[in-house]
Amino acid sequence: MQSSIPKKTFYVFAFFYVVTLIFYFPSRNAGFLTDFIGFEANYAKCGFIHYYDCSLMPNLRYVQHLFSYILWKTVGSNTIYWYLLYCFFHALATYLGFKVLNKLYQLYKIEQAFFIAFASSFLFLISPYQAEVVVWRVCIQYCFVSIALSLNILILLSYFKDEKISKAILAFFIFAVSMFAIEQAAAIPIVLFLLTIIINWNGNKPLVKKSILRFSLPQFLFIGIYFLLSKILYGKWIMHYGASAYNNLFSLKTYSNFFSYIFKYIFLLRCI
């Protein structure tokens, strides 16, 4: 059955992009408010080089601000280009998620893997819970992290076949860049570690050790460097969400929120 599925899945991405453009068209002029107004005012006052000196908003989200600043500087605010780009990145994140699901389903020999992955990704694409990354102009960093996570998984799955160290280096570079988009990227090495264990549970143990040493371990070490850099530059270990978010990482409240979000997504309910 798999042989009848075309290997070139570019048409899937094109379909996702067109659907996103149509689905979110009413929001094409939205998203230039609240935080974005503050960003725009600081860009105009400080420029990008001195943004962190005079904006009173120190953090390590350099990638997010570089993207927003360049776009604001080149095309201005409240223009259609923002809409086209944000739709593009949302479609790309969905497409890469589809690629991940399709490869994992094929790995476990699940019938109709292509169509199940396509349906799952399509539901993600149009889910109202994903609207923020398209509609609100300060949320591009979440798209970047989703893209980085999927790319890391795809690279890891490819690494299992040939064990080329260059792939681990590429994955590390993508992860490091995504950390400077927003610190939620810190979850990426955890996902890679778990996937390595699960996929090779009854398989090649030397491959498991090598994969963890080349993929997960360097990324975990970089997380420590990242927070140390925050402490050195800005005097705080954690800037964006604050230390309290991480102090509660293994609390009952965090676990309850985890399950509430599961029910939220499966049954399309509001989180309590």
Side-chain angles (χ1 to χ4, degrees):
M1 187 67 188
Q2 294 297 337
S3 60
S4 64
I5 302 300
K7 293 182 178 180
K8 293 183 179 179
T9 56
F10 169 77
Y11 297 109
V12 175
F13 167 75
F15 174 77
F16 285 160
Y17 187 41
V18 170
V19 169
T20 307
L21 289 171
I22 296 172
F23 193 75
Y24 284 98
F25 187 73
S27 71
R28 61 195 179 278
N29 296 317
F32 301 97
L33 70 168
T34 58
D35 287 4
F36 180 84
I37 296 174
F39 290 171
E40 185 179 47
N42 287 323
Y43 294 154
K45 180 177 66 173
C46 311
F48 179 75
I49 299 299
H50 299 288
Y51 173 81
Y52 293 92
D53 296 331
C54 71
S55 67
L56 301 178
M57 299 177 65
N59 55 64
L60 295 179
R61 290 182 290 162
Y62 301 145
V63 171
Q64 178 201 8
H65 285 297
L66 180 62
F67 173 84
S68 298
Y69 177 80
I70 291 175
L71 202 55
W72 169 79
K73 194 71 174 178
T74 54
V75 302
S77 59
N78 200 23
T79 61
I80 196 67
Y81 301 105
W82 290 78
Y83 172 72
L84 296 175
L85 271 177
Y86 277 59
C87 286
F88 172 84
F89 282 114
H90 181 52
L92 180 61
T94 305
Y95 169 71
L96 291 173
F98 154 77
K99 293 275 288 184
V100 168
L101 291 175
N102 190 35
K103 285 186 177 295
L104 289 175
Y105 293 158
Q106 290 182 11
L107 182 66
Y108 286 98
K109 297 179 171 56
I110 296 176
E111 295 185 4
Q112 306 294 339
F114 181 95
F115 296 105
I116 297 173
F118 178 83
S120 302
S121 303
F122 183 76
L123 290 174
F124 172 86
L125 184 80
I126 64 173
S127 169
Y129 297 126
Q130 316 310 327
E132 185 179 57
V133 297
V134 183
V135 174
W136 199 12
R137 302 305 179 222
V138 298
C139 291
I140 194 64
Q141 67 271 27
Y142 300 115
C143 256
F144 289 162
V145 170
S146 297
I147 290 169
L149 172 60
S150 292
L151 286 175
N152 264 258
I153 295 173
L154 290 171
I155 293 170
L156 179 68
L157 294 176
S158 177
Y159 172 83
F160 289 156
K161 298 178 181 179
D162 55 29
E163 300 184 33
K164 291 184 178 179
I165 193 170
S166 58
K167 294 182 177 179
I169 295 172
L170 176 61
F172 177 83
F173 174 77
I174 294 171
F175 163 73
V177 171
S178 68
M179 280 292 294
F180 288 102
I182 195 168
E183 60 264 28
Q184 273 94 334
I188 291 176
I190 300 175
V191 174
L192 297 185
F193 176 81
L194 293 175
L195 275 178
T196 299
I197 299 297
I198 294 170
I199 292 175
N200 300 285
W201 183 256
N202 295 317
N204 189 342
K205 291 185 178 180
L207 175 62
V208 172
K209 293 179 181 178
K210 194 181 297 183
S211 300
I212 292 174
L213 287 174
R214 289 183 173 181
F215 280 82
S216 299
L217 183 59
Q219 294 188 11
F220 278 124
L221 291 175
F222 184 80
I223 292 173
I225 295 173
Y226 173 88
F227 289 121
L228 178 62
L229 184 63
S230 177
K231 179 67 173 178
I232 293 172
L233 292 178
Y234 303 121
K236 292 184 179 180
W237 290 102
I238 301 170
M239 294 298 303
H240 186 205
Y241 284 105
S244 61
Y246 290 84
N247 292 337
N248 292 324
L249 188 60
F250 299 104
S251 68
L252 182 61
K253 179 181 179 180
T254 299
Y255 286 116
S256 65
N257 285 337
F258 174 76
F259 286 107
S260 70
Y261 271 86
I262 289 179
F263 283 103
K264 166 186 173 179
Y265 275 89
I266 292 177
F267 299 109
L268 297 178
L269 300 172
R270 290 174 61 93
C271 259
I272 300 176

